[in-house]
PDB file of all heavy atoms in Angstrom:
ATOM      1  N   PRO A 489      13.717 -14.762   3.283  1.00 96.00           N
ATOM      2  CA  PRO A 489      14.028 -13.474   2.643  1.00 96.00           C
ATOM      3  C   PRO A 489      15.405 -12.972   3.073  1.00 96.00           C
ATOM      4  O   PRO A 489      15.907 -13.334   4.145  1.00 96.00           O
ATOM      5  CB  PRO A 489      12.926 -12.558   3.165  1.00 96.00           C
ATOM      6  CG  PRO A 489      12.593 -13.119   4.517  1.00 96.00           C
ATOM      7  CD  PRO A 489      12.727 -14.614   4.358  1.00 96.00           C
ATOM      8  N   ASP A 490      15.997 -12.150   2.245  1.00 97.00           N
ATOM      9  CA  ASP A 490      17.242 -11.496   2.634  1.00 97.00           C
ATOM     10  C   ASP A 490      16.954 -10.555   3.803  1.00 97.00           C
ATOM     11  O   ASP A 490      16.016  -9.757   3.738  1.00 97.00           O
ATOM     12  CB  ASP A 490      17.800 -10.701   1.460  1.00 97.00           C
ATOM     13  CG  ASP A 490      18.980  -9.839   1.855  1.00 97.00           C
ATOM     14  OD1 ASP A 490      20.008 -10.409   2.252  1.00 97.00           O
ATOM     15  OD2 ASP A 490      18.851  -8.590   1.792  1.00 97.00           O
ATOM     16  N   PRO A 491      17.725 -10.633   4.890  1.00 96.00           N
ATOM     17  CA  PRO A 491      17.416  -9.807   6.073  1.00 96.00           C
ATOM     18  C   PRO A 491      17.376  -8.307   5.781  1.00 96.00           C
ATOM     19  O   PRO A 491      16.508  -7.596   6.295  1.00 96.00           O
ATOM     20  CB  PRO A 491      18.540 -10.158   7.050  1.00 96.00           C
ATOM     21  CG  PRO A 491      18.986 -11.534   6.632  1.00 96.00           C
ATOM     22  CD  PRO A 491      18.828 -11.571   5.136  1.00 96.00           C
ATOM     23  N   LEU A 492      18.321  -7.818   4.951  1.00 96.00           N
ATOM     24  CA  LEU A 492      18.363  -6.381   4.686  1.00 96.00           C
ATOM     25  C   LEU A 492      17.203  -5.961   3.797  1.00 96.00           C
ATOM     26  O   LEU A 492      16.569  -4.919   4.027  1.00 96.00           O
ATOM     27  CB  LEU A 492      19.698  -6.021   4.027  1.00 96.00           C
ATOM     28  CG  LEU A 492      20.020  -4.526   3.940  1.00 96.00           C
ATOM     29  CD1 LEU A 492      19.979  -3.891   5.320  1.00 96.00           C
ATOM     30  CD2 LEU A 492      21.383  -4.325   3.301  1.00 96.00           C
ATOM     31  N   HIS A 493      16.890  -6.767   2.790  1.00 96.00           N
ATOM     32  CA  HIS A 493      15.735  -6.484   1.929  1.00 96.00           C
ATOM     33  C   HIS A 493      14.455  -6.483   2.755  1.00 96.00           C
ATOM     34  O   HIS A 493      13.592  -5.616   2.599  1.00 96.00           O
ATOM     35  CB  HIS A 493      15.661  -7.551   0.821  1.00 96.00           C
ATOM     36  CG  HIS A 493      14.587  -7.320  -0.192  1.00 96.00           C
ATOM     37  ND1 HIS A 493      13.273  -7.680   0.022  1.00 96.00           N
ATOM     38  CD2 HIS A 493      14.620  -6.753  -1.434  1.00 96.00           C
ATOM     39  CE1 HIS A 493      12.552  -7.363  -1.032  1.00 96.00           C
ATOM     40  NE2 HIS A 493      13.334  -6.798  -1.930  1.00 96.00           N
ATOM     41  N   SER A 494      14.325  -7.461   3.650  1.00 96.00           N
ATOM     42  CA  SER A 494      13.151  -7.544   4.499  1.00 96.00           C
ATOM     43  C   SER A 494      13.046  -6.331   5.421  1.00 96.00           C
ATOM     44  O   SER A 494      11.962  -5.755   5.596  1.00 96.00           O
ATOM     45  CB  SER A 494      13.187  -8.831   5.323  1.00 96.00           C
ATOM     46  OG  SER A 494      12.069  -8.930   6.167  1.00 96.00           O
ATOM     47  N   ALA A 495      14.164  -5.937   6.022  1.00 95.00           N
ATOM     48  CA  ALA A 495      14.148  -4.785   6.929  1.00 95.00           C
ATOM     49  C   ALA A 495      13.765  -3.503   6.196  1.00 95.00           C
ATOM     50  O   ALA A 495      13.130  -2.615   6.774  1.00 95.00           O
ATOM     51  CB  ALA A 495      15.517  -4.625   7.577  1.00 95.00           C
ATOM     52  N   PHE A 496      14.121  -3.411   4.928  1.00 96.00           N
ATOM     53  CA  PHE A 496      13.848  -2.196   4.175  1.00 96.00           C
ATOM     54  C   PHE A 496      12.402  -2.132   3.697  1.00 96.00           C
ATOM     55  O   PHE A 496      11.780  -1.067   3.713  1.00 96.00           O
ATOM     56  CB  PHE A 496      14.795  -2.118   2.970  1.00 96.00           C
ATOM     57  CG  PHE A 496      14.904  -0.743   2.377  1.00 96.00           C
ATOM     58  CD1 PHE A 496      15.869   0.147   2.822  1.00 96.00           C
ATOM     59  CD2 PHE A 496      14.043  -0.336   1.378  1.00 96.00           C
ATOM     60  CE1 PHE A 496      15.971   1.417   2.284  1.00 96.00           C
ATOM     61  CE2 PHE A 496      14.131   0.938   0.830  1.00 96.00           C
ATOM     62  CZ  PHE A 496      15.095   1.812   1.282  1.00 96.00           C
ATOM     63  N   TYR A 497      11.847  -3.276   3.274  1.00 95.00           N
ATOM     64  CA  TYR A 497      10.552  -3.271   2.602  1.00 95.00           C
ATOM     65  C   TYR A 497       9.405  -3.880   3.396  1.00 95.00           C
ATOM     66  O   TYR A 497       8.271  -3.413   3.308  1.00 95.00           O
ATOM     67  CB  TYR A 497      10.646  -4.055   1.285  1.00 95.00           C
ATOM     68  CG  TYR A 497      11.368  -3.357   0.171  1.00 95.00           C
ATOM     69  CD1 TYR A 497      12.577  -3.840  -0.303  1.00 95.00           C
ATOM     70  CD2 TYR A 497      10.835  -2.225  -0.437  1.00 95.00           C
ATOM     71  CE1 TYR A 497      13.245  -3.221  -1.351  1.00 95.00           C
ATOM     72  CE2 TYR A 497      11.490  -1.598  -1.479  1.00 95.00           C
ATOM     73  CZ  TYR A 497      12.695  -2.098  -1.933  1.00 95.00           C
ATOM     74  OH  TYR A 497      13.347  -1.487  -2.967  1.00 95.00           O
ATOM     75  N   ASP A 498       9.644  -4.967   4.098  1.00 94.00           N
ATOM     76  CA  ASP A 498       8.558  -5.832   4.553  1.00 94.00           C
ATOM     77  C   ASP A 498       7.750  -5.216   5.688  1.00 94.00           C
ATOM     78  O   ASP A 498       8.302  -4.832   6.731  1.00 94.00           O
ATOM     79  CB  ASP A 498       9.103  -7.193   4.993  1.00 94.00           C
ATOM     80  CG  ASP A 498       9.583  -8.012   3.815  1.00 94.00           C
ATOM     81  OD1 ASP A 498       9.337  -7.604   2.661  1.00 94.00           O
ATOM     82  OD2 ASP A 498      10.205  -9.068   4.028  1.00 94.00           O
ATOM     83  N   SER A 499       6.428  -5.186   5.493  1.00 93.00           N
ATOM     84  CA  SER A 499       5.529  -4.706   6.540  1.00 93.00           C
ATOM     85  C   SER A 499       5.232  -5.794   7.570  1.00 93.00           C
ATOM     86  O   SER A 499       4.708  -5.491   8.649  1.00 93.00           O
ATOM     87  CB  SER A 499       4.213  -4.228   5.912  1.00 93.00           C
ATOM     88  OG  SER A 499       3.579  -5.296   5.216  1.00 93.00           O
ATOM     89  N   HIS A 500       5.550  -7.058   7.244  1.00 92.00           N
ATOM     90  CA  HIS A 500       5.363  -8.175   8.167  1.00 92.00           C
ATOM     91  C   HIS A 500       6.718  -8.819   8.464  1.00 92.00           C
ATOM     92  O   HIS A 500       7.592  -8.854   7.582  1.00 92.00           O
ATOM     93  CB  HIS A 500       4.417  -9.217   7.579  1.00 92.00           C
ATOM     94  CG  HIS A 500       2.982  -8.768   7.550  1.00 92.00           C
ATOM     95  ND1 HIS A 500       2.554  -7.695   6.779  1.00 92.00           N
ATOM     96  CD2 HIS A 500       1.872  -9.231   8.192  1.00 92.00           C
ATOM     97  CE1 HIS A 500       1.257  -7.522   6.962  1.00 92.00           C
ATOM     98  NE2 HIS A 500       0.820  -8.431   7.807  1.00 92.00           N
ATOM     99  N   PRO A 501       6.910  -9.331   9.670  1.00 94.00           N
ATOM    100  CA  PRO A 501       8.197  -9.953  10.010  1.00 94.00           C
ATOM    101  C   PRO A 501       8.454 -11.189   9.150  1.00 94.00           C
ATOM    102  O   PRO A 501       7.512 -11.845   8.692  1.00 94.00           O
ATOM    103  CB  PRO A 501       8.027 -10.344  11.486  1.00 94.00           C
ATOM    104  CG  PRO A 501       6.857  -9.551  11.977  1.00 94.00           C
ATOM    105  CD  PRO A 501       5.964  -9.349  10.799  1.00 94.00           C
ATOM    106  N   PRO A 502       9.719 -11.545   8.920  1.00 93.00           N
ATOM    107  CA  PRO A 502      10.023 -12.788   8.208  1.00 93.00           C
ATOM    108  C   PRO A 502       9.384 -13.977   8.916  1.00 93.00           C
ATOM    109  O   PRO A 502       9.275 -14.000  10.155  1.00 93.00           O
ATOM    110  CB  PRO A 502      11.554 -12.863   8.256  1.00 93.00           C
ATOM    111  CG  PRO A 502      11.998 -11.456   8.490  1.00 93.00           C
ATOM    112  CD  PRO A 502      10.925 -10.814   9.309  1.00 93.00           C
ATOM    113  N   ALA A 503       8.975 -14.960   8.144  1.00 91.00           N
ATOM    114  CA  ALA A 503       8.213 -16.087   8.687  1.00 91.00           C
ATOM    115  C   ALA A 503       8.909 -16.794   9.856  1.00 91.00           C
ATOM    116  O   ALA A 503       8.280 -17.023  10.901  1.00 91.00           O
ATOM    117  CB  ALA A 503       7.892 -17.079   7.570  1.00 91.00           C
ATOM    118  N   PRO A 504      10.193 -17.171   9.739  1.00 91.00           N
ATOM    119  CA  PRO A 504      10.827 -17.875  10.871  1.00 91.00           C
ATOM    120  C   PRO A 504      10.847 -17.041  12.150  1.00 91.00           C
ATOM    121  O   PRO A 504      10.620 -17.570  13.250  1.00 91.00           O
ATOM    122  CB  PRO A 504      12.247 -18.149  10.367  1.00 91.00           C
ATOM    123  CG  PRO A 504      12.133 -18.138   8.879  1.00 91.00           C
ATOM    124  CD  PRO A 504      11.103 -17.100   8.571  1.00 91.00           C
ATOM    125  N   LEU A 505      11.109 -15.735  12.011  1.00 93.00           N
ATOM    126  CA  LEU A 505      11.155 -14.876  13.194  1.00 93.00           C
ATOM    127  C   LEU A 505       9.770 -14.729  13.804  1.00 93.00           C
ATOM    128  O   LEU A 505       9.608 -14.797  15.035  1.00 93.00           O
ATOM    129  CB  LEU A 505      11.722 -13.508  12.810  1.00 93.00           C
ATOM    130  CG  LEU A 505      11.852 -12.474  13.934  1.00 93.00           C
ATOM    131  CD1 LEU A 505      12.726 -12.999  15.049  1.00 93.00           C
ATOM    132  CD2 LEU A 505      12.404 -11.163  13.388  1.00 93.00           C
TER     133      LEU A 505
END
Side-chain angles (χ1 to χ4, degrees):
D490 172 64
L492 192 56
H493 184 278
S494 179
F496 198 90
Y497 286 113
D498 289 351
S499 60
H500 288 64
L505 180 58

